[in-house]
Amino acid sequence: MTPPQYLRNIVLSSQLVAVLAQGADFSYSGEAVTTRFWDCCKPSCGWIGKADFSSPVLSCTADDAPADFAAGTGCNGGGAYQCSDQQPWAINDTLSYGFAGVYITSDLTHGAIEDAWCCACYQLDFTSEPLIGKSMIVQASNTAYDVNTASRFSLAVPGGNTTSTNACAKQYGVSQSVFGENNAGVSSSDDCDNLPENLQPGCRWRFDWFQDASYPR
Ligand SMILES: *[C@@H]1O[C@H](CO)[C@@H](O)[C@H](O)[C@H]1NC(C)=O
Ligand SMILES: *[C@@H]1O[C@H](CO)[C@@H](O)[C@H](O)[C@H]1NC(C)=O
């Protein structure tokens, strides 16, 4: 099946290898595509009962304190947002850690959805330039449902891709525009200086370690 045009333009087709999952049934490997997101919404894996995990993914209040697991998402009038520490960081030139909104195609999950990936960890081995030889280990904190024709990891990168909701503005008391443009995020490392301070390292990671790979020019 051919992925949509914008996914083909994003050259980050990555080879994914499951290194750790909740159960033997949920260990996958195969090809995947990646995108980026940072919408400040409560992560989808942050709800009780989403999967057979010991705890849902933490969400945070606007003060970056742990939110009650039952609290509603800041993207829909509630007070629970994406925690600022769920941003990527580099260990060295070839290895980074981070979080992702995941979708794994049903041929691999045998039809299971979030309970098949929420909180599991995956190793992404990039197979396209400029990231060949680099790997990233991500925990599935969220779900990327909007494209379901390919397995996908939407990497949580502050300022990496905003959406039309204004949850980031509400969470941080800033203009939503500091998070950049819809579907693109901020456009340079300097723009990261405008983000709330605790989000700036993950924003700069995109231009350093990640080489701004999602939107090659
Ligand atoms: C931003 O998110 C939207 C919605 O998931 C997605 O369609 C788009 O490809 C993303 N952009 C990037 C640069 O990842
Ligand atoms: C990066 O760190 C990982 C884990 O410690 C290690 O296996 C790898 O060799 C390191 N790579 C470089 C380029 O130092």
Side-chain angles (χ1 to χ4, degrees):
M1 194 171 287
T2 310
Q5 182 66 35
Y6 75 90
L7 285 179
R8 272 182 282 136
N9 289 343
I10 295 168
V11 288
L12 291 183
S13 177
S14 50
Q15 186 87 22
L16 71 99
V17 180
V19 290
L20 177 75
Q22 286 291 327
D25 293 351
F26 292 147
S27 197
Y28 321 106
S29 75
E31 303 271 318
V33 296
T34 73
T35 51
R36 306 185 301 255
F37 85 102
W38 193 272
D39 55 13
C40 296
C41 301
K42 172 174 177 162
S44 190
C45 300
W47 298 95
I48 291 165
K50 276 286 169 113
D52 184 20
F53 43 39
S54 52
S55 168
V57 171
L58 207 58
S59 297
C60 284
T61 63
D63 300 333
D64 229 11
D68 192 295
F69 289 128
T73 176
C75 286
N76 193 17
Y81 300 92
Q82 190 174 358
C83 296
S84 67
D85 60 3
Q86 288 169 20
Q87 58 181 285
W89 71 97
I91 297 295
N92 58 34
D93 199 43
T94 54
L95 179 66
S96 278
Y97 283 91
F99 298 84
V102 174
Y103 179 81
I104 296 172
T105 50
S106 59
D107 55 323
L108 291 171
T109 65
H110 304 293
I113 49 170
E114 294 189 284
D115 55 330
W117 57 75
C118 272
C119 288
C121 292
Y122 300 91
Q123 178 168 329
L124 310 181
D125 295 326
F126 292 102
T127 55
S128 66
E129 290 298 358
L131 298 179
I132 291 177
K134 295 193 184 216
S135 298
M136 190 169 179
I137 294 174
V138 294
Q139 184 170 29
S141 57
N142 212 341
T143 292
Y145 273 136
D146 50 330
V147 177
N148 59 12
T149 51
S151 293
R152 177 162 70 120
F153 289 78
S154 197
L155 306 174
V157 181
N161 190 3
T162 187
T163 61
S164 50
T165 75
N166 64 347
C168 291
K170 279 170 52 194
Q171 182 178 8
Y172 292 101
V174 297
S175 162
Q176 181 74 22
S177 65
V178 307
F179 286 84
E181 292 182 23
N182 283 350
N183 292 326
V186 303
S187 54
S188 73
S189 186
D190 286 349
D191 289 345
C192 297
D193 297 354
N194 301 324
L195 258 65
E197 202 168 348
N198 51 2
L199 297 180
Q200 291 178 12
C203 180
R204 293 196 189 99
W205 171 92
R206 169 181 154 203
F207 299 96
D208 299 339
W209 191 92
F210 196 63
Q211 298 178 251
D212 197 17
S214 290
Y215 262 55
R217 297 186 187 141

